[in-house]
Amino acid sequence: MAELRRYRTVVSDSALWAGFEFRTGDVVISTPAKCGTTWMQMLCAMLIFDTAELHRPLTEISPWLDAVTYDTAAILAELESQQHRRFIKTHTPLDGLPFEAGVTYICVGRDPRDAMLSFEHAAANIHPDAITSGGLDPQVSQPPSEDPLERFWLWADAEFTPESSTFGVTLANLVHHVRTFWERRDDPQVALFHYADLKADLPGQLRRLATVLSIEASEQRLEQLAAAATFDRMRKRADELAPGVDAKLWRSNTNFFRSGTSGQWHDLLDPAAVERYTGRVAELAPPELAKWLHTGWSGLR
């Protein structure tokens, strides 16, 4: 078995997985930041519990195991006590996770440009008290430049690194994360979803997820559950669904679900900038993966 790569940022450390005891049936939701993590957690919750009504905040039911801003011992104890099928959040790529038999590993991709802009909005929404109480440097949440285009190129041109003194959110790291799943996409334990596909056909993607998790549900039930997991419906339930509500992480829980739209990068990048960006992606990903990242599975048909 290959040695696991260790990923560390100001908010996470993949080495914390070493203390976790897997069970057959566990689900690991591993996504780059702002690519649909909470959405996928909600979809898994609805299928596992066969309801859209949760008995407590989603972040408690499906904790971020390797976050250093939480009490790891308490998270491990919580997961050990759970009797239902467990589904756990992480932002660690697949090559940094223990790969255990009987466990399903799910990744969600998104157009990296949309993910980058969404992350900027999320960083601006972090409550100052959460930064200081969590032991984070206040400068971590500050933009490195006032110019949004300059920030974009800092993000796009940065090299991949498994360790970062900030959040580790760069184009290279996002592509690498998805690529660790892409290269194992034919493994029955691995499933790749895309934000664009979820937006275009949520009932169909929920059906696919049910198949991945070997959960039986009628078409009528899938339609009902999908209707409860639209972006607008989740936004209205931000106080129970947004991550970090227990730690009062956000200035506004509602603004965590800011818009859920795609293509806002069009307002930032002119044709020359798009060409430069496309060239950078080509340095990081093979053509089929690059296309999938920007279109989802529908774009490969």
Side-chain angles (χ1 to χ4, degrees):
M1 181 180 295
E3 182 177 353
L4 296 181
R5 188 195 296 266
R6 185 176 185 181
Y7 290 88
R8 284 189 286 186
T9 72
V10 71
V11 292
S12 64
D13 184 350
S14 65
L16 296 175
W17 279 92
F20 180 63
E21 293 187 12
F22 284 90
R23 298 176 191 159
T24 297
D26 282 343
V27 181
V28 177
I29 301 169
S30 164
T31 65
K34 305 308 295 181
C35 285
T37 316
T38 305
W39 204 358
M40 181 54 67
Q41 287 174 282
M42 183 60 175
L43 297 179
C44 287
M46 293 192 306
L47 289 173
I48 288 170
F49 300 127
D50 190 29
T51 181
E53 302 304 318
L54 306 180
H55 57 287
R56 54 190 174 132
L58 180 60
T59 191
E60 295 180 12
I61 301 170
S62 175
W64 181 2
L65 189 153
D66 48 6
V68 298
T69 51
Y70 288 94
D71 182 339
T72 302
I75 289 177
L76 293 174
E78 162 62 30
L79 288 168
E80 179 62 28
S81 71
Q82 290 182 356
Q83 299 303 305
H84 59 76
R85 188 173 182 182
R86 303 180 300 183
F87 51 111
I88 306 128
K89 165 186 172 176
T90 182
H91 291 308
T92 296
L94 193 56
D95 62 350
L97 297 170
F99 198 82
E100 300 288 336
V103 176
T104 301
Y105 297 81
I106 297 174
C107 182
V108 185
R110 188 181 186 184
D111 185 321
R113 296 163 294 191
D114 289 319
M116 182 269 183
L117 293 178
S118 182
F119 181 82
E120 285 208 333
H121 293 303
N125 190 36
I126 295 176
H127 197 287
D129 291 346
I131 296 174
T132 54
S133 64
L136 304 181
D137 183 344
Q139 295 300 314
V140 165
S141 65
Q142 301 301 314
S145 169
E146 293 298 320
D147 181 354
L149 188 58
E150 184 177 346
R151 294 198 303 271
F152 180 86
W153 292 123
L154 287 171
W155 166 83
D157 292 335
E159 295 300 322
F160 164 76
T161 174
E163 299 195 16
S164 172
S165 59
T166 58
F167 293 108
V169 179
T170 65
L171 174 61
N173 279 44
L174 186 156
V175 173
H176 171 81
H177 188 137
V178 175
R179 189 168 184 168
T180 63
F181 279 82
W182 179 262
E183 291 175 348
R184 299 189 67 168
R185 63 191 182 279
D186 294 328
D187 190 310
Q189 290 182 241
V190 173
L192 262 172
F193 288 79
H194 197 283
Y195 196 94
D197 297 325
L198 293 170
K199 289 279 290 183
D201 180 15
L202 188 54
Q205 291 301 299
L206 189 58
R207 184 184 311 111
R208 179 177 168 235
L209 179 61
T211 299
V212 167
L213 299 180
S214 300
I215 294 174
E216 294 186 7
S218 69
E219 290 299 315
Q220 181 181 14
R221 188 59 177 152
L222 290 172
E223 291 282 351
Q224 292 170 343
L225 293 175
T230 63
F231 185 85
D232 289 341
R233 292 288 294 274
M234 290 186 64
R235 195 171 195 268
K236 290 176 181 178
R237 299 173 60 185
D239 288 343
E240 58 178 309
L241 299 183
V245 293
D246 52 341
K248 297 180 174 59
L249 179 59
W250 310 109
R251 298 174 189 267
S252 165
N253 292 331
T254 300
N255 285 348
F256 173 81
F257 299 98
R258 181 175 172 272
S259 68
T261 57
S262 300
Q264 295 185 53
W265 56 268
H266 286 287
D267 296 330
L268 180 65
L269 305 180
D270 62 19
V274 171
E275 183 177 0
R276 174 180 166 184
Y277 165 80
T278 302
R280 175 59 177 150
V281 172
E283 296 173 356
L284 301 170
E288 191 176 31
L289 172 55
K291 186 173 183 180
W292 182 88
L293 269 171
H294 297 88
T295 65
W297 291 113
S298 59
L300 297 184
R301 293 171 185 159

